[in-house]
Amino acid sequence: LSKIPQLAVCKTALSINAHSRALMHFEKAARETDRETSSVGIAPLKPIVEPSEIALLQRIFSSLDDPDALQGIAHLKPSGKSADLLDSYRAAGRWNETLIALDQLSRQKNNDIETICSLQCGRLECLSELGLFDQLLSLATLCTNDPVQVANEKHMQKVRSFGAHAAWKLGDWKSIETLLSAHAKQSGAASFQMFAGNFDLGIGQIFLALRNKKRAQFENVLLFMRSDLIQPLGAASLESYDRAYPMIVKLQMLNELE
């Protein structure tokens, strides 16, 4: 375990909302880099931090709700380019500015497929945070009709999740059916397994079953969604309340639907 890079552990901790632990491992990674640099006779005035690591640190402090640290980190990226400002805006929760920066970056002609998918996911996230669900659903629909993006299965799972979230918020049942059908076709997962780790699509299916009065389907999907949330909840509750809270909210939603 000691051979696992601390930065990799940091990113993993952040992905499961273990924010304090992510910061701890980031600090360990910075100290290791400092020791390696000092061992070859170089004595830096400040820890060596790469641009990608600055963005990671911004995400951590944003999750920890530490505005002072975010303001300090912003000075490490003096460039006024959209790409450099993007992480600062997102970390500070400035979603309008984030959306503008993403639009500017999307107009560049040299973007590769991965960059295009990443920018689109960023735009979907901004629209969701701003509560612009009509625009969110429209953008998700455009993404699902783009052959370049459809080829990226992992990207499309995120797109359909955002789309389903907007659709059931708006009561657009036809869009939910379309998204569920496309997801089932591409994922190839058996039965309810296609809802594993995808809460919004599962909620969409539950709403459809409720609307169409399909009791058995309603109960089966709800049971699967509940078990899918309970499994990671045990570990999350040992880490911190903040990490467990989103899962508790989702379980409460399922309880209210039931």
Side-chain angles (χ1 to χ4, degrees):
L1 291 176
S2 61
K3 295 181 180 179
I4 301 176
Q6 290 296 321
L7 208 56
V9 180
C10 169
K11 293 177 181 178
T12 303
L14 185 60
S15 69
I16 60 173
N17 298 323
H19 307 126
S20 298
R21 182 164 297 197
L23 180 59
M24 178 187 70
H25 288 290
F26 186 94
E27 290 174 348
K28 287 184 178 180
R31 292 192 188 99
E32 287 180 356
T33 302
D34 191 40
R35 283 198 300 269
E36 291 172 1
T37 306
S38 300
S39 66
V40 295
I42 302 174
L45 296 177
K46 60 182 180 180
I48 299 173
V49 183
E50 299 294 333
S52 60
E53 294 173 356
I54 294 175
L56 178 62
L57 199 55
Q58 285 178 316
R59 290 176 57 197
I60 293 172
F61 281 120
S62 176
S63 301
L64 291 171
D65 194 21
D66 191 338
D68 293 332
L70 285 171
Q71 187 174 1
I73 295 169
H75 291 288
L76 296 175
K77 300 178 71 173
S79 172
K81 295 180 180 179
S82 297
D84 295 325
L85 294 172
L86 183 60
D87 293 321
S88 299
Y89 291 152
R90 180 183 276 116
R94 296 165 61 182
W95 298 109
N96 281 310
E97 290 92 336
T98 304
L99 188 59
I100 292 171
L102 287 166
D103 288 338
Q104 291 174 347
L105 289 171
S106 65
R107 295 192 190 101
Q108 296 179 2
K109 297 181 179 180
N110 57 344
N111 289 331
D112 56 25
I113 296 176
E114 289 298 326
T115 302
I116 292 172
C117 292
S118 177
L119 291 174
Q120 292 292 56
C121 272
R123 294 175 70 189
L124 290 166
E125 180 187 14
C126 288
L127 293 172
S128 178
E129 293 291 341
L130 292 169
L132 302 175
F133 298 115
D134 285 310
Q135 296 181 39
L136 173 57
L137 183 56
S138 297
L139 180 57
T141 302
L142 286 174
C143 292
T144 56
N145 292 327
D146 183 0
V148 174
Q149 296 184 59
V150 171
N152 188 329
E153 183 177 347
K154 186 176 180 180
H155 167 66
M156 289 311 300
Q157 288 180 359
K158 296 178 182 178
V159 169
R160 294 189 189 107
S161 181
F162 278 116
H165 180 76
W168 63 258
K169 283 274 189 179
L170 296 169
D172 190 337
W173 312 118
K174 185 176 180 181
S175 293
I176 292 178
E177 289 178 345
T178 302
L179 289 165
L180 286 169
S181 177
H183 183 67
K185 183 178 179 181
Q186 187 172 37
S187 67
S191 188
F192 309 119
Q193 292 296 325
M194 69 176 186
F195 301 124
N198 203 322
F199 183 78
D200 286 304
L201 280 171
I203 285 290
Q205 182 64 76
I206 290 173
F207 271 122
L208 279 180
L210 184 63
R211 178 179 171 81
N212 297 327
K213 298 182 180 180
K214 295 182 178 179
R215 185 182 183 89
Q217 186 183 53
F218 174 88
E219 292 177 345
N220 290 332
V221 176
L222 191 142
L223 180 63
F224 177 83
M225 294 295 295
R226 182 173 285 152
S227 63
D228 191 49
L229 288 168
I230 288 176
Q231 290 178 5
L233 179 61
S237 61
L238 295 174
E239 180 71 32
S240 68
Y241 179 74
D242 289 339
R243 183 181 164 196
Y245 183 74
M247 300 178 196
I248 295 173
V249 171
K250 291 176 179 178
L251 286 169
Q252 178 64 28
M253 290 175 64
L254 294 177
N255 186 60
E256 291 178 2
L257 280 168
E258 189 176 31

